[in-house]
Amino acid sequence: MPTPTVIAIDGPSASGKSSTAAAVAAQLDMIHVDTGALYRALTWLALERGLEDAAAIVDAADAGSLHLTPRDRRLIVVAGENEDDIEEGIRSERVTAGVSAVAAMPEIRSWVNRRLRVAVRASGGAVLDGRDIGTVVFPDAALKVFLTASAEARARRRLVQRGGAPEPEEVRLEAELLAARDRVDAARKEAPLRQGHDAILVDTTDMSFEAQVARIVELARDRGLPLG
Ligand code: DC
Protein backbone atom coordinates (compact mmCIF):
# COMPACT_ATOMS: atom_id res chain seq x y z
CA MET A 1 0.00 0.00 0.00
CA PRO A 2 1.48 3.44 -0.89
CA THR A 3 2.48 5.77 1.96
CA PRO A 4 -0.47 8.02 2.81
CA THR A 5 -0.05 11.75 2.23
CA VAL A 6 -0.30 13.40 5.62
CA ILE A 7 -0.47 17.08 6.43
CA ALA A 8 -0.12 17.64 10.18
CA ILE A 9 -1.43 20.83 11.76
CA ASP A 10 -0.59 21.00 15.47
CA GLY A 11 -0.92 23.82 17.95
CA PRO A 12 -2.48 25.08 21.17
CA SER A 13 -6.20 25.22 21.90
CA ALA A 14 -8.32 27.82 20.12
CA SER A 15 -5.64 28.47 17.51
CA GLY A 16 -8.25 27.75 14.82
CA LYS A 17 -6.62 24.45 13.87
CA SER A 18 -9.78 22.55 13.04
CA SER A 19 -11.44 25.17 10.86
CA THR A 20 -8.10 25.87 9.17
CA ALA A 21 -7.40 22.17 8.59
CA ALA A 22 -10.91 21.68 7.17
CA ALA A 23 -10.47 24.59 4.74
CA VAL A 24 -6.99 23.40 3.71
CA ALA A 25 -8.33 19.88 3.13
CA ALA A 26 -11.19 21.22 1.01
CA GLN A 27 -8.82 23.27 -1.16
CA LEU A 28 -6.47 20.32 -1.64
CA ASP A 29 -9.33 17.85 -2.12
CA MET A 30 -8.18 15.80 0.87
CA ILE A 31 -9.93 14.31 3.89
CA HIS A 32 -9.92 16.16 7.23
CA VAL A 33 -9.55 14.60 10.68
CA ASP A 34 -10.03 16.58 13.90
CA THR A 35 -8.05 14.29 16.20
CA GLY A 36 -9.18 16.05 19.40
CA ALA A 37 -12.63 14.60 18.65
CA LEU A 38 -11.32 11.10 19.46
CA TYR A 39 -10.08 12.19 22.90
CA ARG A 40 -13.40 13.93 23.42
CA ALA A 41 -15.32 10.81 22.36
CA LEU A 42 -13.42 8.61 24.82
CA THR A 43 -14.08 11.16 27.55
CA TRP A 44 -17.78 11.23 26.62
CA LEU A 45 -17.91 7.42 26.77
CA ALA A 46 -16.14 7.38 30.14
CA LEU A 47 -18.66 9.87 31.55
CA GLU A 48 -21.68 8.04 30.05
CA ARG A 49 -20.60 4.73 31.54
CA GLY A 50 -18.99 6.00 34.74
CA LEU A 51 -15.57 4.61 33.77
CA GLU A 52 -12.35 6.03 35.20
CA ASP A 53 -9.73 3.47 34.36
CA ALA A 54 -7.98 3.79 30.96
CA ALA A 55 -8.16 0.04 30.28
CA ALA A 56 -11.92 0.00 30.92
CA ILE A 57 -12.43 3.01 28.65
CA VAL A 58 -10.55 1.49 25.70
CA ASP A 59 -12.28 -1.87 26.25
CA ALA A 60 -15.64 -0.15 26.02
CA ALA A 61 -14.53 1.73 22.90
CA ASP A 62 -13.21 -1.49 21.34
CA ALA A 63 -16.45 -3.30 22.02
CA GLY A 64 -17.73 -1.49 18.99
CA SER A 65 -19.02 1.66 20.61
CA LEU A 66 -16.65 4.12 19.01
CA HIS A 67 -15.09 4.28 15.58
CA LEU A 68 -14.06 6.64 12.82
CA THR A 69 -16.17 6.78 9.70
CA PRO A 70 -15.93 8.86 6.50
CA ARG A 71 -18.59 11.54 6.12
CA ASP A 72 -18.49 14.48 3.69
CA ARG A 73 -14.73 14.38 3.14
CA ARG A 74 -14.10 14.03 6.88
CA LEU A 75 -13.44 11.18 9.23
CA ILE A 76 -15.75 11.61 12.19
CA VAL A 77 -16.23 9.66 15.42
CA VAL A 78 -19.52 7.81 15.73
CA ALA A 79 -20.94 5.45 18.34
CA GLY A 80 -22.39 1.97 17.97
CA GLU A 81 -23.58 -0.12 15.06
CA ASN A 82 -25.98 2.57 13.93
CA GLU A 83 -23.08 5.03 13.68
CA ASP A 84 -24.85 7.54 15.92
CA ASP A 85 -23.62 11.11 15.65
CA ILE A 86 -22.14 12.17 19.02
CA GLU A 87 -20.91 15.60 17.94
CA GLU A 88 -23.12 17.47 20.40
CA GLY A 89 -22.10 15.30 23.35
CA ILE A 90 -18.38 15.53 22.69
CA ARG A 91 -18.50 19.36 22.56
CA SER A 92 -20.33 19.67 25.90
CA GLU A 93 -18.83 21.63 28.83
CA ARG A 94 -18.61 18.41 30.84
CA VAL A 95 -16.44 16.73 28.21
CA THR A 96 -14.32 19.86 27.69
CA ALA A 97 -13.64 19.98 31.43
CA GLY A 98 -12.59 16.32 31.62
CA VAL A 99 -10.76 15.71 28.37
CA SER A 100 -7.26 16.90 29.39
CA ALA A 101 -7.07 14.25 32.13
CA VAL A 102 -8.23 11.49 29.76
CA ALA A 103 -5.82 12.64 27.02
CA ALA A 104 -2.92 12.40 29.48
CA MET A 105 -3.32 8.60 29.88
CA PRO A 106 -0.75 6.61 27.83
CA GLU A 107 -3.16 3.75 27.10
CA ILE A 108 -5.74 6.18 25.77
CA ARG A 109 -3.14 7.88 23.57
CA SER A 110 -1.95 4.63 22.02
CA TRP A 111 -5.57 3.58 21.30
CA VAL A 112 -6.21 6.90 19.54
CA ASN A 113 -2.93 6.73 17.60
CA ARG A 114 -3.63 3.18 16.40
CA ARG A 115 -7.10 4.14 15.22
CA LEU A 116 -5.78 7.21 13.44
CA ARG A 117 -2.99 5.35 11.63
CA VAL A 118 -5.32 2.61 10.39
CA ALA A 119 -8.05 5.03 9.26
CA VAL A 120 -5.69 7.46 7.55
CA ARG A 121 -3.88 4.65 5.74
CA ALA A 122 -7.22 3.30 4.52
CA SER A 123 -8.14 6.77 3.23
CA GLY A 124 -4.82 7.24 1.43
CA GLY A 125 -3.99 10.32 3.50
CA ALA A 126 -5.53 13.27 5.29
CA VAL A 127 -5.08 16.70 6.79
CA LEU A 128 -5.05 16.13 10.56
CA ASP A 129 -5.17 18.69 13.32
CA GLY A 130 -4.12 18.01 16.91
CA ARG A 131 -1.26 18.43 19.35
CA ASP A 132 1.16 15.63 18.50
CA ILE A 133 0.36 14.66 14.92
CA GLY A 134 3.71 15.71 13.43
CA THR A 135 5.77 14.83 16.50
CA VAL A 136 4.32 11.43 17.45
CA VAL A 137 1.49 10.04 15.33
CA PHE A 138 2.82 10.70 11.82
CA PRO A 139 6.52 11.66 12.21
CA ASP A 140 6.93 11.17 8.43
CA ALA A 141 4.16 13.61 7.52
CA ALA A 142 4.82 15.35 4.21
CA LEU A 143 4.08 18.76 5.74
CA LYS A 144 4.06 19.76 9.40
CA VAL A 145 2.67 23.08 10.53
CA PHE A 146 2.64 24.49 14.06
CA LEU A 147 -0.28 26.88 14.11
CA THR A 148 -0.39 29.38 16.93
CA ALA A 149 -1.44 32.89 17.93
CA SER A 150 -1.06 34.96 21.09
CA ALA A 151 -3.32 33.85 23.95
CA GLU A 152 -5.13 37.18 23.68
CA ALA A 153 -5.84 36.79 19.96
CA ARG A 154 -7.08 33.23 20.50
CA ALA A 155 -9.25 34.35 23.43
CA ARG A 156 -10.80 37.18 21.41
CA ARG A 157 -11.59 34.89 18.45
CA ARG A 158 -13.16 32.28 20.70
CA LEU A 159 -15.36 34.86 22.44
CA VAL A 160 -16.41 36.47 19.15
CA GLN A 161 -17.30 33.01 17.86
CA ARG A 162 -19.59 32.52 20.89
CA GLY A 163 -21.35 35.74 19.87
CA GLY A 164 -21.14 39.44 20.65
CA ALA A 165 -18.27 41.88 21.13
CA PRO A 166 -16.26 40.83 24.20
CA GLU A 167 -15.18 43.34 26.86
CA PRO A 168 -11.39 43.67 27.43
CA GLU A 169 -11.77 42.09 30.88
CA GLU A 170 -13.53 39.06 29.38
CA VAL A 171 -10.72 38.69 26.83
CA ARG A 172 -8.11 38.91 29.61
CA LEU A 173 -9.81 36.19 31.68
CA GLU A 174 -10.31 33.89 28.69
CA ALA A 175 -6.64 34.41 27.68
CA GLU A 176 -5.57 33.37 31.17
CA LEU A 177 -7.67 30.20 30.94
CA LEU A 178 -6.19 29.34 27.54
CA ALA A 179 -2.63 29.99 28.74
CA ALA A 180 -3.25 27.72 31.74
CA ARG A 181 -4.54 24.93 29.44
CA ASP A 182 -1.49 25.38 27.18
CA ARG A 183 0.78 24.96 30.20
CA VAL A 184 -0.97 21.69 31.17
CA ASP A 185 -0.76 20.36 27.58
CA ALA A 186 2.92 21.40 27.28
CA ALA A 187 3.94 20.00 30.68
CA ARG A 188 2.34 16.55 30.43
CA LYS A 189 4.70 13.60 30.19
CA GLU A 190 2.93 11.85 27.31
CA ALA A 191 3.24 13.59 23.93
CA PRO A 192 3.42 17.16 25.26
CA LEU A 193 2.35 20.04 23.06
CA ARG A 194 5.47 21.42 21.37
CA GLN A 195 6.64 22.63 18.00
CA GLY A 196 8.62 19.83 16.33
CA HIS A 197 12.03 20.78 14.92
CA ASP A 198 10.78 20.16 11.38
CA ALA A 199 7.41 21.90 11.76
CA ILE A 200 6.82 25.27 10.11
CA LEU A 201 5.58 27.94 12.49
CA VAL A 202 2.51 29.83 11.29
CA ASP A 203 1.70 32.59 13.80
CA THR A 204 -1.76 33.88 12.99
CA THR A 205 -1.95 36.66 15.61
CA ASP A 206 -2.09 39.27 12.83
CA MET A 207 -3.40 37.09 10.03
CA SER A 208 -6.91 36.68 8.64
CA PHE A 209 -8.43 33.22 8.43
CA GLU A 210 -8.22 33.28 4.61
CA ALA A 211 -4.53 34.27 4.78
CA GLN A 212 -3.60 31.45 7.13
CA VAL A 213 -5.40 28.88 4.97
CA ALA A 214 -3.71 30.28 1.84
CA ARG A 215 -0.29 30.11 3.55
CA ILE A 216 -0.67 26.41 4.40
CA VAL A 217 -2.06 25.55 0.96
CA GLU A 218 0.96 27.34 -0.55
CA LEU A 219 3.36 25.35 1.69
CA ALA A 220 1.62 22.14 0.56
CA ARG A 221 1.77 23.06 -3.13
CA ASP A 222 5.48 23.96 -2.75
CA ARG A 223 6.01 20.35 -1.68
CA GLY A 224 3.99 18.99 -4.58
CA LEU A 225 1.09 17.94 -2.33
CA PRO A 226 -1.23 16.17 -2.41
CA LEU A 227 0.74 13.31 -3.94
CA GLY A 228 -0.82 11.12 -6.57
O1 DC B 1 -8.59 20.31 20.13
P1 DC B 1 -9.56 19.89 21.23
O2 DC B 1 -9.85 20.98 22.24
O3 DC B 1 -10.81 19.27 20.72
O4 DC B 1 -8.77 18.75 22.03
C1 DC B 1 -9.36 18.08 23.10
C2 DC B 1 -8.28 17.57 24.07
O5 DC B 1 -7.52 16.53 23.46
C3 DC B 1 -7.28 18.61 24.56
O6 DC B 1 -7.12 18.44 25.97
C4 DC B 1 -5.99 18.26 23.89
C5 DC B 1 -6.13 16.80 23.56
N1 DC B 1 -5.50 16.40 22.29
C6 DC B 1 -4.29 15.75 22.38
O7 DC B 1 -3.76 15.57 23.47
N2 DC B 1 -3.70 15.31 21.23
C7 DC B 1 -4.28 15.50 20.03
N3 DC B 1 -3.68 15.05 18.93
C8 DC B 1 -5.52 16.19 19.94
C9 DC B 1 -6.11 16.64 21.10
Side-chain angles (χ1 to χ4, degrees):
M1 199 180 269
T3 318
T5 301
V6 169
I7 296 181
I9 303 182
D10 289 309
S13 45
S15 58
K17 293 184 304 290
S18 278
S19 39
T20 304
V24 167
Q27 290 200 22
L28 297 175
D29 199 20
M30 291 175 73
I31 282 172
H32 169 227
V33 193
D34 161 9
T35 66
L38 276 168
Y39 290 102
R40 287 174 175 275
L42 289 167
T43 308
W44 170 83
L45 185 67
L47 290 168
E48 286 279 299
R49 307 261 178 101
L51 306 170
E52 286 181 8
D53 174 64
I57 301 171
V58 299
D59 279 352
D62 271 337
S65 331
L66 293 182
H67 59 279
L68 282 167
T69 197
R71 200 167 288 175
D72 304 331
R73 307 291 297 160
R74 288 194 304 153
L75 293 181
I76 65 160
V77 201
V78 290
E81 275 179 23
N82 295 332
E83 305 208 325
D84 294 329
D85 192 328
I86 51 170
E87 190 61 24
E88 205 179 312
I90 70 172
R91 305 288 160 196
S92 68
E93 289 287 333
R94 218 159 66 105
V95 167
T96 301
V99 64
S100 282
V102 173
M105 300 175 185
E107 215 170 330
I108 295 282
R109 300 202 70 84
S110 37
W111 186 91
V112 167
N113 295 349
R114 265 198 319 276
R115 290 287 171 123
L116 285 173
R117 291 182 185 123
V118 169
V120 168
R121 209 167 295 132
S123 305
V127 180
L128 299 101
D129 70 87
R131 305 291 192 289
D132 62 341
I133 304 305
T135 49
V136 175
V137 191
F138 292 103
D140 298 329
L143 172 63
K144 301 179 187 180
V145 170
F146 193 77
L147 193 74
T148 190
S150 70
E152 208 190 318
R154 289 184 281 136
R156 182 168 299 108
R157 285 177 200 160
R158 170 164 281 189
L159 291 170
V160 167
Q161 211 173 41
R162 282 186 201 148
E167 298 291 328
E169 183 59 11
E170 271 181 281
V171 175
R172 199 183 59 76
L173 286 174
E174 184 70 22
E176 269 176 22
L177 284 178
L178 284 175
R181 228 176 114 185
D182 293 349
R183 280 194 294 274
V184 172
D185 283 343
R188 75 174 175 222
K189 234 165 77 197
E190 280 299 311
L193 171 70
R194 64 178 177 85
Q195 181 187 347
H197 66 93
D198 50 358
I200 296 169
L201 180 69
V202 176
D203 185 331
T204 69
T205 305
D206 297 312
M207 261 174 148
S208 69
F209 179 73
E210 291 72 24
Q212 73 201 40
V213 172
R215 173 77 184 122
I216 299 172
V217 168
E218 178 193 329
L219 289 168
R221 299 251 192 253
D222 285 350
R223 282 163 179 72
L225 301 175
L227 301 174

